[in-house]
Coordinates of all heavy atoms in Angstrom, one line a residue:
M27 N -3.7 -0.9 9.0 CA -4.8 -0.2 8.3 C -4.4 1.5 8.5 O -4.6 2.2 7.5 CB -6.1 -0.4 8.8 CG -6.8 -1.6 8.4 SD -7.0 -1.4 6.5 CE -8.0 -2.9 6.2
D28 N -4.0 1.9 9.6 CA -3.9 3.2 9.9 C -2.4 3.6 9.8 O -2.1 4.7 10.1 CB -4.3 3.5 11.3 CG -5.9 3.5 11.5 OD1 -6.5 4.0 10.5 OD2 -6.3 2.9 12.5
C29 N -1.6 2.8 9.2 CA -0.1 3.0 9.1 C 0.0 4.1 8.0 O -0.3 3.9 6.8 CB 0.6 1.6 8.8 SG 2.3 2.0 8.5
L30 N 0.8 5.2 8.3 CA 1.1 6.2 7.5 C 2.1 5.7 6.4 O 1.8 6.2 5.1 CB 1.7 7.3 8.1 CG 0.7 8.3 8.8 CD1 1.5 9.4 9.7 CD2 -0.2 9.0 7.9
I31 N 2.9 4.9 6.7 CA 3.9 4.4 5.6 C 3.1 3.5 4.5 O 3.4 3.7 3.4 CB 5.0 3.6 6.3 CG1 5.9 4.5 7.3 CG2 6.0 3.0 5.3 CD1 6.7 3.9 8.3
C32 N 2.3 2.6 5.1 CA 1.6 1.9 4.1 C 0.8 2.8 3.2 O 0.8 2.6 2.0 CB 0.5 1.1 4.9 SG 1.2 -0.5 5.7
R33 N 0.1 3.8 3.7 CA -0.7 4.8 2.9 C 0.1 5.4 1.8 O -0.1 5.6 0.8 CB -1.4 5.7 3.8 CG -2.9 5.7 3.4 CD -3.6 6.7 4.3 NE -3.7 6.2 5.7 CZ -4.1 6.9 6.7 NH1 -4.5 8.2 6.5 NH2 -4.3 6.4 7.9
E34 N 1.3 5.9 2.4 CA 2.2 6.6 1.5 C 2.8 5.6 0.4 O 2.7 6.0 -0.8 CB 3.5 7.0 2.4 CG 4.0 8.4 2.0 CD 5.0 8.8 3.1 OE1 6.1 8.4 3.0 OE2 4.5 9.5 4.1
L35 N 3.1 4.4 0.7 CA 3.6 3.5 -0.2 C 2.4 3.2 -1.3 O 2.8 2.9 -2.4 CB 4.2 2.3 0.4 CG 5.5 2.6 1.2 CD1 6.0 1.3 2.0 CD2 6.6 3.0 0.2
E36 N 1.3 3.0 -0.7 CA 0.2 2.7 -1.6 C 0.0 3.8 -2.6 O -0.3 3.5 -3.8 CB -1.1 2.4 -0.8 CG -1.3 1.0 -0.4 CD -2.3 0.9 0.7 OE1 -3.2 1.8 0.8 OE2 -2.2 -0.1 1.5
Q37 N 0.1 5.0 -2.1 CA -0.1 6.1 -3.0 C 0.9 6.1 -4.1 O 0.6 6.6 -5.2 CB -0.2 7.5 -2.1 CG -1.3 8.5 -2.5 CD -1.4 9.3 -1.3 OE1 -0.5 9.8 -0.6 NE2 -2.8 9.8 -1.0
K38 N 2.2 5.9 -3.6 CA 3.2 5.9 -4.5 C 3.2 4.8 -5.5 O 3.3 5.2 -6.8 CB 4.5 5.7 -3.8 CG 5.9 5.9 -4.4 CD 6.9 5.6 -3.5 CE 8.3 5.4 -4.1 NZ 9.4 5.1 -3.0
L39 N 2.6 3.7 -5.2 CA 2.4 2.7 -6.2 C 1.4 3.0 -7.2 O 1.4 2.8 -8.4 CB 2.0 1.4 -5.4 CG 1.7 0.2 -6.3 CD1 2.8 -0.3 -7.2 CD2 1.3 -1.0 -5.4
E40 N 0.2 3.7 -6.6 CA -0.9 4.1 -7.5 C -0.5 5.1 -8.5 O -0.7 5.1 -9.7 CB -1.9 4.6 -6.5 CG -3.3 4.8 -7.1 CD -3.8 3.4 -7.9 OE1 -3.6 2.3 -7.3 OE2 -4.2 3.6 -9.1
T41 N 0.4 6.1 -8.0 CA 0.9 7.1 -8.9 C 1.8 6.4 -10.0 O 1.6 6.7 -11.2 CB 1.8 8.1 -8.1 OG1 1.1 8.6 -7.0 CG2 2.3 9.2 -9.0
R42 N 2.6 5.5 -9.6 CA 3.5 4.8 -10.6 C 2.7 4.0 -11.5 O 3.1 3.9 -12.9 CB 4.5 4.1 -9.9 CG 5.3 4.9 -9.0 CD 6.9 4.5 -9.1 NE 7.6 5.6 -8.5 CZ 8.8 5.2 -7.9 NH1 9.3 4.0 -7.9 NH2 9.5 6.2 -7.3
R43 N 1.6 3.4 -11.1 CA 0.8 2.7 -12.0 C 0.2 3.5 -12.9 O 0.0 3.0 -14.2 CB -0.3 1.9 -11.1 CG -1.0 0.7 -11.8 CD -1.9 0.2 -10.8 NE -1.4 -0.7 -9.8 CZ -1.9 -1.0 -8.7 NH1 -3.2 -0.6 -8.5 NH2 -1.3 -1.8 -7.9
M44 N -0.3 4.8 -12.5 CA -0.9 5.5 -13.6 C 0.1 6.1 -14.6 O -0.2 6.2 -15.7 CB -1.5 6.8 -12.8 CG -2.9 6.5 -12.4 SD -3.4 7.6 -11.0 CE -2.9 9.3 -11.6
Q45 N 1.4 6.4 -14.1 CA 2.4 6.8 -14.9 C 2.7 5.7 -15.9 O 3.0 6.0 -17.1 CB 3.7 7.2 -14.1 CG 3.5 8.5 -13.4 CD 4.7 8.8 -12.6 OE1 5.4 7.9 -12.0 NE2 4.8 10.0 -12.1
F46 N 2.8 4.5 -15.4 CA 3.1 3.4 -16.3 C 2.0 3.2 -17.4 O 2.3 3.0 -18.5 CB 3.1 2.0 -15.5 CG 3.4 0.8 -16.3 CD1 4.3 0.7 -17.1 CD2 2.4 -0.2 -16.2 CE1 4.5 -0.5 -18.0 CE2 2.5 -1.4 -17.0 CZ 3.6 -1.4 -17.8
A47 N 0.8 3.4 -17.0 CA -0.3 3.3 -17.9 C -0.3 4.3 -19.0 O -0.5 4.1 -20.1 CB -1.7 3.3 -17.2
E48 N 0.1 5.5 -18.6 CA 0.2 6.6 -19.5 C 1.4 6.3 -20.5 O 1.3 6.5 -21.7 CB 0.6 7.9 -18.7 CG -0.6 8.7 -18.4 CD -0.3 10.0 -17.3 OE1 0.8 10.5 -17.7 OE2 -1.0 10.2 -16.5
A49 N 2.4 5.8 -20.0 CA 3.6 5.4 -20.8 C 3.3 4.4 -21.8 O 3.7 4.4 -22.9 CB 4.8 5.1 -19.8
C50 N 2.4 3.5 -21.2 CA 2.0 2.4 -22.3 C 1.1 3.0 -23.3 O 1.2 2.4 -24.5 CB 1.1 1.3 -21.4 SG 2.2 0.1 -20.5
C51 N 0.3 3.9 -23.0 CA -0.5 4.6 -24.0 C 0.3 5.2 -25.1 O 0.1 5.0 -26.3 CB -1.4 5.7 -23.3 SG -3.0 5.1 -22.9
S52 N 1.3 5.9 -24.6 CA 2.2 6.7 -25.6 C 2.9 5.5 -26.4 O 3.2 5.8 -27.6 CB 3.2 7.4 -24.7 OG 2.8 8.0 -23.7
A53 N 3.4 4.4 -25.7 CA 4.2 3.4 -26.3 C 3.3 2.8 -27.5 O 3.9 2.5 -28.5 CB 4.6 2.4 -25.4
S54 N 2.0 2.7 -27.3 CA 1.1 2.1 -28.3 C 1.0 3.0 -29.5 O 0.8 2.5 -30.6 CB -0.2 1.7 -27.6 OG -0.8 2.9 -27.6
Y55 N 1.4 4.3 -29.3 CA 1.4 5.2 -30.5 C 2.9 5.3 -31.1 O 3.0 6.0 -32.0 CB 0.9 6.6 -30.1 CG -0.6 6.6 -29.8 CD1 -0.8 6.9 -28.4 CD2 -1.5 6.4 -30.8 CE1 -2.3 6.9 -28.1 CE2 -2.9 6.4 -30.4 CZ -3.2 6.7 -29.1 OH -4.5 6.8 -28.8
G56 N 3.7 4.5 -30.5 CA 5.1 4.4 -31.1 C 5.9 5.5 -30.6 O 6.9 5.8 -31.2
V57 N 5.5 6.3 -29.6 CA 6.2 7.4 -29.1 C 7.5 7.0 -28.4 O 8.6 7.2 -28.7 CB 5.3 8.3 -28.2 CG1 6.2 9.5 -27.7 CG2 4.1 8.8 -29.0
S58 N 7.4 6.1 -27.4 CA 8.5 5.7 -26.6 C 8.1 4.5 -25.8 O 7.4 4.4 -24.8 CB 8.9 6.8 -25.5 OG 9.8 6.3 -24.7
T59 N 8.6 3.4 -26.3 CA 8.5 2.2 -25.7 C 9.5 2.1 -24.4 O 9.2 1.2 -23.5 CB 8.7 0.9 -26.5 OG1 10.0 1.1 -27.3 CG2 7.6 0.7 -27.6
K60 N 10.6 2.8 -24.5 CA 11.6 2.8 -23.5 C 11.1 3.4 -22.2 O 11.2 2.8 -21.2 CB 12.9 3.7 -24.0 CG 14.1 3.2 -23.5 CD 15.3 4.0 -23.7 CE 16.0 3.7 -25.0 NZ 17.1 4.7 -25.4
S61 N 10.4 4.5 -22.3 CA 9.8 5.1 -21.1 C 8.8 4.2 -20.4 O 8.8 4.1 -19.3 CB 9.3 6.5 -21.3 OG 7.9 6.4 -21.7
A62 N 8.0 3.4 -21.3 CA 7.2 2.3 -20.7 C 7.8 1.3 -19.9 O 7.5 0.9 -18.8 CB 6.4 1.8 -21.8
A63 N 9.0 0.9 -20.4 CA 9.7 0.0 -19.7 C 10.4 0.5 -18.3 O 10.4 -0.2 -17.4 CB 10.9 -0.5 -20.5
Y64 N 10.8 1.7 -18.5 CA 11.2 2.4 -17.2 C 10.2 2.6 -16.2 O 10.5 2.2 -15.0 CB 11.9 3.8 -17.5 CG 13.2 3.7 -18.1 CD1 13.6 4.6 -19.2 CD2 14.2 3.0 -17.6 CE1 14.9 4.6 -19.8 CE2 15.4 2.9 -18.1 CZ 15.8 3.8 -19.4 OH 16.9 3.8 -19.8
R65 N 9.0 3.0 -16.6 CA 7.9 3.1 -15.8 C 7.5 1.9 -15.1 O 7.1 1.7 -14.0 CB 6.7 3.7 -16.5 CG 6.9 5.1 -17.0 CD 7.0 6.0 -15.8 NE 7.0 7.4 -16.1 CZ 7.5 8.5 -15.5 NH1 8.0 8.2 -14.3 NH2 7.5 9.7 -15.9
N66 N 7.7 0.7 -15.8 CA 7.3 -0.5 -15.4 C 8.3 -1.0 -14.3 O 7.9 -1.4 -13.2 CB 7.5 -1.5 -16.5 CG 6.8 -2.9 -16.0 OD1 6.1 -3.1 -15.2 ND2 7.4 -4.0 -16.6
V67 N 9.6 -0.7 -14.3 CA 10.6 -0.9 -13.3 C 10.2 -0.1 -12.1 O 10.3 -0.6 -11.0 CB 11.9 -0.5 -13.8 CG1 13.0 -0.7 -12.8 CG2 12.4 -1.5 -15.0
D68 N 9.8 1.1 -12.3 CA 9.4 2.2 -11.2 C 8.3 1.4 -10.4 O 8.4 1.4 -9.3 CB 9.1 3.5 -11.7 CG 10.3 4.3 -11.9 OD1 11.4 3.9 -11.6 OD2 10.1 5.5 -12.6
M69 N 7.4 1.0 -11.2 CA 6.2 0.4 -10.6 C 6.4 -0.8 -9.8 O 5.9 -0.9 -8.6 CB 5.1 0.2 -11.6 CG 3.8 -0.2 -11.1 SD 2.6 -0.6 -12.5 CE 3.2 -2.1 -13.1
E70 N 7.3 -1.6 -10.3 CA 7.7 -3.0 -9.6 C 8.4 -2.6 -8.4 O 8.2 -3.3 -7.4 CB 8.5 -3.8 -10.6 CG 7.6 -4.5 -11.7 CD 6.5 -5.1 -11.3 OE1 6.4 -5.8 -10.2 OE2 5.4 -5.1 -11.9
Q71 N 9.2 -1.5 -8.5 CA 10.0 -1.1 -7.3 C 9.2 -0.7 -6.1 O 9.3 -1.1 -5.0 CB 11.0 0.0 -7.8 CG 12.4 -0.2 -7.2 CD 13.2 0.8 -8.0 OE1 12.8 2.0 -8.4 NE2 14.5 0.4 -8.3
A72 N 8.1 0.1 -6.6 CA 7.2 0.7 -5.6 C 6.3 -0.4 -4.9 O 6.0 -0.5 -3.7 CB 6.2 1.7 -6.2
R73 N 6.0 -1.5 -5.8 CA 5.3 -2.7 -5.4 C 6.0 -3.4 -4.3 O 5.5 -3.8 -3.2 CB 4.9 -3.5 -6.5 CG 3.8 -4.5 -6.2 CD 3.8 -5.6 -7.2 NE 3.6 -5.2 -8.5 CZ 2.5 -4.9 -9.1 NH1 1.3 -5.0 -8.4 NH2 2.4 -4.4 -10.4
S74 N 7.4 -3.7 -4.6 CA 8.1 -4.5 -3.7 C 8.3 -3.8 -2.4 O 8.5 -4.3 -1.3 CB 9.3 -4.9 -4.4 OG 10.3 -3.9 -4.6
E75 N 8.5 -2.4 -2.5 CA 8.7 -1.6 -1.4 C 7.5 -1.7 -0.5 O 7.7 -2.0 0.9 CB 8.8 -0.1 -1.7 CG 10.2 0.4 -1.8 CD 10.3 1.9 -2.1 OE1 9.6 2.6 -1.3 OE2 10.8 2.2 -3.3
L76 N 6.4 -1.6 -1.0 CA 5.0 -1.8 -0.3 C 5.0 -3.3 0.3 O 4.7 -3.3 1.5 CB 3.9 -1.6 -1.1 CG 2.5 -1.7 -0.6 CD1 2.4 -0.8 0.7 CD2 1.4 -1.5 -1.5
Q77 N 5.4 -4.2 -0.4 CA 5.2 -5.6 0.1 C 6.2 -5.8 1.2 O 6.0 -6.4 2.2 CB 5.5 -6.5 -1.1 CG 4.3 -6.9 -1.9 CD 4.6 -7.6 -3.2 OE1 5.8 -7.8 -3.5 NE2 3.5 -8.1 -3.8
D78 N 7.5 -5.2 1.0 CA 8.6 -5.4 2.1 C 8.0 -4.9 3.3 O 8.1 -5.3 4.4 CB 9.8 -4.7 1.6 CG 10.6 -5.5 0.7 OD1 10.2 -6.6 0.4 OD2 11.7 -5.0 0.1
H79 N 7.6 -3.5 3.3 CA 7.0 -2.8 4.5 C 5.9 -3.6 5.1 O 5.9 -3.7 6.2 CB 6.6 -1.4 4.1 CG 5.8 -0.8 5.1 ND1 6.5 -0.3 6.3 CD2 4.7 -0.6 5.4 CE1 5.7 0.1 7.2 NE2 4.4 0.1 6.7
R80 N 5.0 -4.2 4.2 CA 3.8 -4.9 4.8 C 4.2 -6.0 5.6 O 3.6 -6.3 6.6 CB 2.8 -5.2 3.8 CG 1.9 -3.9 3.3 CD 0.6 -4.5 2.9 NE -0.3 -3.3 2.6 CZ -0.9 -3.2 1.5 NH1 -0.9 -4.2 0.5 NH2 -1.7 -2.2 1.2
S81 N 5.2 -6.7 5.1 CA 5.6 -7.9 5.8 C 6.2 -7.7 7.2 O 5.9 -8.4 8.2 CB 6.7 -8.7 5.0 OG 7.9 -7.9 5.0
V82 N 6.7 -6.4 7.3 CA 7.1 -5.9 8.8 C 5.9 -5.3 9.4 O 5.8 -5.5 10.7 CB 8.2 -5.0 8.6 CG1 8.8 -4.5 9.9 CG2 9.3 -5.4 7.7
C83 N 5.2 -4.5 8.8 CA 4.1 -3.7 9.3 C 3.0 -4.6 9.7 O 2.5 -4.3 10.9 CB 3.5 -2.9 8.2 SG 2.3 -1.7 8.9
A84 N 2.7 -5.7 9.2 CA 1.7 -6.7 9.5 C 1.9 -7.1 10.9 O 1.1 -7.4 11.8 CB 1.5 -7.7 8.6
Y85 N 3.3 -7.2 11.2 CA 3.7 -7.7 12.5 C 3.6 -6.7 13.6 O 3.2 -6.9 14.6 CB 5.1 -8.4 12.3 CG 5.7 -8.7 13.7 CD1 5.4 -9.8 14.3 CD2 6.8 -7.9 14.1 CE1 5.9 -10.2 15.5 CE2 7.4 -8.3 15.3 CZ 7.0 -9.4 16.1 OH 7.5 -9.7 17.1
L86 N 4.0 -5.5 13.1 CA 4.2 -4.4 14.1 C 2.9 -3.8 14.5 O 2.6 -3.4 15.5 CB 5.2 -3.3 13.6 CG 6.6 -3.7 13.6 CD1 7.4 -2.5 12.9 CD2 7.2 -3.9 14.9
C87 N 2.0 -3.7 13.4 CA 0.8 -2.8 13.6 C -0.5 -3.6 13.9 O -1.5 -3.2 14.0 CB 0.5 -2.0 12.5 SG 2.0 -0.8 12.0
R88 N -0.1 -5.0 13.9 CA -1.4 -5.9 13.9 C -2.2 -5.7 15.3 O -1.5 -5.8 16.4 CB -1.0 -7.4 13.9 CG -2.0 -8.2 13.6 CD -1.6 -9.6 13.3 NE -0.4 -9.8 14.2 CZ 0.3 -11.0 14.1 NH1 0.2 -11.7 13.1 NH2 1.3 -11.2 14.9
K89 N -3.4 -5.5 15.1 CA -4.2 -5.5 16.5 C -5.2 -6.8 16.4 O -5.8 -6.9 15.4 CB -5.1 -4.2 16.6 CG -4.3 -2.9 16.7 CD -5.3 -1.8 16.5 CE -4.4 -0.5 16.1 NZ -5.3 0.4 15.6
P90 N -5.1 -7.4 17.4 CA -6.0 -8.6 17.5 C -7.4 -8.2 17.3 O -8.0 -7.4 18.1 CB -5.9 -9.3 18.8 CG -4.5 -8.8 19.4 CD -4.4 -7.3 18.6
P91 N -8.3 -8.7 16.3 CA -9.6 -8.3 16.1 C -10.6 -8.5 17.3 O -11.4 -7.7 17.6 CB -10.1 -9.2 14.9 CG -8.9 -10.0 14.4 CD -7.8 -9.8 15.5
A92 N -10.3 -9.6 18.1 CA -11.1 -9.9 19.2 C -11.0 -8.7 20.2 O -12.0 -8.3 20.8 CB -10.7 -11.2 19.9
L93 N -9.8 -8.1 20.3 CA -9.6 -7.1 21.3 C -10.4 -5.8 21.0 O -11.0 -5.2 21.8 CB -8.2 -6.8 21.3 CG -7.6 -6.2 22.6 CD1 -7.2 -7.2 23.6 CD2 -6.4 -5.2 22.3
T94 N -10.5 -5.5 19.5 CA -11.2 -4.2 19.2 C -12.6 -4.5 19.4 O -13.3 -3.5 19.7 CB -10.8 -3.9 17.7 OG1 -10.9 -5.1 16.9 CG2 -9.4 -3.2 17.7
T95 N -13.2 -5.6 19.0 CA -14.7 -5.8 19.1 C -15.1 -5.8 20.6 O -16.1 -5.4 21.0 CB -15.1 -7.1 18.5 OG1 -14.4 -8.2 19.0 CG2 -15.1 -7.0 17.0
R96 N -14.2 -6.3 21.4 CA -14.4 -6.4 22.9 C -14.5 -4.9 23.4 O -15.3 -4.6 24.3 CB -13.3 -7.2 23.6 CG -13.9 -7.7 25.0 CD -13.0 -8.5 25.7 NE -12.7 -9.7 24.8 CZ -11.5 -10.4 25.0 NH1 -10.4 -10.0 25.9 NH2 -11.2 -11.4 24.2
A97 N -13.5 -4.1 22.9 CA -13.5 -2.7 23.3 C -14.9 -2.0 23.2 O -15.1 -1.1 24.0 CB -12.3 -1.9 22.6
V98 N -15.5 -2.3 22.1 CA -16.8 -1.7 21.7 C -17.8 -1.9 22.8 O -18.5 -1.0 23.3 CB -17.2 -2.2 20.2 CG1 -18.7 -1.4 20.1 CG2 -16.3 -1.6 19.1
H99 N -17.8 -3.2 23.1 CA -18.9 -3.6 24.2 C -18.3 -3.1 25.6 O -19.3 -2.7 26.3 CB -19.0 -5.2 24.3 CG -19.5 -5.7 23.0 ND1 -20.7 -5.6 22.6 CD2 -18.8 -6.5 22.1 CE1 -20.9 -6.3 21.6 NE2 -19.8 -6.9 21.1
A100 N -17.1 -3.1 25.8 CA -16.6 -2.7 27.1 C -17.0 -1.3 27.3 O -17.1 -0.8 28.5 CB -15.1 -2.7 27.1
S101 N -17.2 -0.4 26.3 CA -17.5 1.0 26.5 C -18.9 1.2 27.2 O -19.3 2.1 27.8 CB -17.5 1.7 25.2 OG -18.5 1.3 24.3
R102 N -19.8 0.3 27.2 CA -21.2 0.2 27.6 C -21.3 -0.2 29.2 O -22.2 0.0 29.8 CB -22.0 -0.6 26.8 CG -22.5 0.3 25.7 CD -23.7 -0.5 25.0 NE -23.2 -1.6 24.0 CZ -24.1 -2.5 23.7 NH1 -25.5 -2.5 24.1 NH2 -23.7 -3.5 22.8
R103 N -20.2 -1.1 29.5 CA -20.1 -1.5 30.9 C -18.7 -1.5 31.4 O -17.8 -1.7 30.6 CB -20.8 -2.8 31.0 CG -20.2 -3.8 30.1 CD -20.8 -5.2 30.2 NE -20.3 -6.0 29.1 CZ -20.7 -7.1 28.7 NH1 -21.8 -7.6 29.2 NH2 -20.0 -7.9 27.8
P104 N -18.6 -1.5 32.7 CA -17.2 -1.5 33.3 C -16.6 -2.8 33.0 O -17.1 -3.9 32.9 CB -17.5 -1.5 34.9 CG -18.9 -1.2 35.1 CD -19.7 -1.5 33.8
V105 N -15.2 -2.7 32.6 CA -14.5 -3.8 32.2 C -14.0 -4.6 33.5 O -13.5 -4.0 34.4 CB -13.2 -3.4 31.5 CG1 -12.4 -4.7 31.0 CG2 -13.6 -2.6 30.4
A106 N -14.3 -6.0 33.6 CA -13.9 -6.7 34.6 C -12.3 -7.1 34.4 O -12.1 -7.9 33.4 CB -14.7 -8.0 34.8
A107 N -11.4 -6.6 35.2 CA -10.0 -6.9 35.0 C -9.8 -8.3 35.5 O -9.4 -9.3 34.8 CB -9.2 -5.8 35.6
Ligands
LIG212 ZN1 2.7 0.1 7.4

């Protein structure tokens, strides 16, 4: 959730998605179908980059949910080790 790379890649994908949508808009007016195709490739690339990273990231950055909820309660009383 707090991974910077995830956020960066998500942003990149979002940007590319918007660019693709724009290109599709122009394509529908017959301006350039080619650029829409390129944008689509760009978008898919960004998507697979994000997916690739996530498959590693989920493993590296994963925090057990039980641990975080326990930490909230632990702040109210001393933790028994
Ligand atoms: Zn990540």
